[in-house]
Amino acid sequence: MNAFALLLAIVAQATQPVDPTMDWLLDQAGPASASTQPAATQPASPFGEKPVAGERTGTITLSDGKVVRGTIRTTPGKPIRMWNEERQAFVDLPMDSIQSMEAVILWERDEPEWRFKESGHDEKIYTGKTYPARETQYRVILSTGDTLTGGIVAPLYVTADGKSNQFVLYKRSKGDVGKTLAELVYVRHVALD
């Protein structure tokens, strides 16, 4: 093989996709069809919207007493992932398997705010201000009656009265400087029908 043919072979090989995930996604997409057209070009169904898989009706109660009732879901195609201390492993919980979730406060306090004295130096000084901080776990009761407790970081989307709201289950949360713990609102309870 001459040098020119070798160079062409190297260039051809270098320009080939090397991302197996992208190759798989492109293979799954298949050819464009009517189902891949934008929703605006498809006729409206006289039977209403189809329920999204993993979508449930239920109630979310926040720490400030606010109650939101509606259709609750998480990220489509994703279960709620929990770190279970007892098992020392992550546990994936599909929305269909959850009956309720209750917040368990591990600790909450006002943390002092520190800043660097000078740029480029590691000496810190206390600013005299504080911010609220909290660490939370969730006790999850499954539809089987089993109970699991652990850290969760996941969004919950609630649709009620045509409006969509997002609430996030946090393991650790931190508020703005000068705010109080009461102002650092968290999801206290989730009950699913």
Side-chain angles (χ1 to χ4, degrees), residues 65-150:
K66 182 179 177 183
V67 177
V68 180
R69 176 149 183 82
T71 304
I72 302 172
R73 64 178 177 82
T74 189
T75 305
K78 299 284 184 187
I80 296 211
R81 178 164 273 195
M82 167 192 282
W83 172 255
N84 184 265
E85 289 289 334
E86 185 178 308
R87 296 181 184 181
Q88 287 292 300
F90 284 103
V91 179
D92 287 340
L93 306 170
M95 283 291 285
D96 297 344
S97 69
I98 299 172
Q99 181 178 335
S100 67
M101 293 186 270
E102 184 78 31
V104 177
I105 305 298
L106 298 180
W107 58 261
E108 58 183 358
R109 59 184 171 250
D110 287 323
E111 293 279 351
E113 181 193 41
W114 295 85
R115 65 174 176 81
F116 289 105
K117 184 174 181 178
E118 294 177 20
S119 179
H121 289 75
D122 59 356
E123 185 181 352
K124 290 185 175 183
I125 59 171
Y126 175 55
T127 65
K129 299 175 183 176
T130 61
Y131 60 88
R134 175 182 297 118
E135 184 169 348
T136 311
Q137 287 187 341
Y138 283 87
R139 182 178 304 114
V140 178
I141 300 175
L142 302 174
S143 53
T144 61
D146 295 328
T147 302
L148 296 172
T149 302

Side-chain angles (χ1 to χ4, degrees), residues 19-56:
D19 186 352
T21 303
M22 184 58 75
D23 291 340
W24 182 85
L25 286 171
L26 291 171
D27 289 343
Q28 298 302 310
S33 66
S35 65
T36 62
Q37 294 298 316
T41 63
Q42 294 195 10
S45 169
F47 303 108
E49 295 294 319
K50 293 180 182 177
V52 176
E55 202 172 73
R56 310 261 309 271

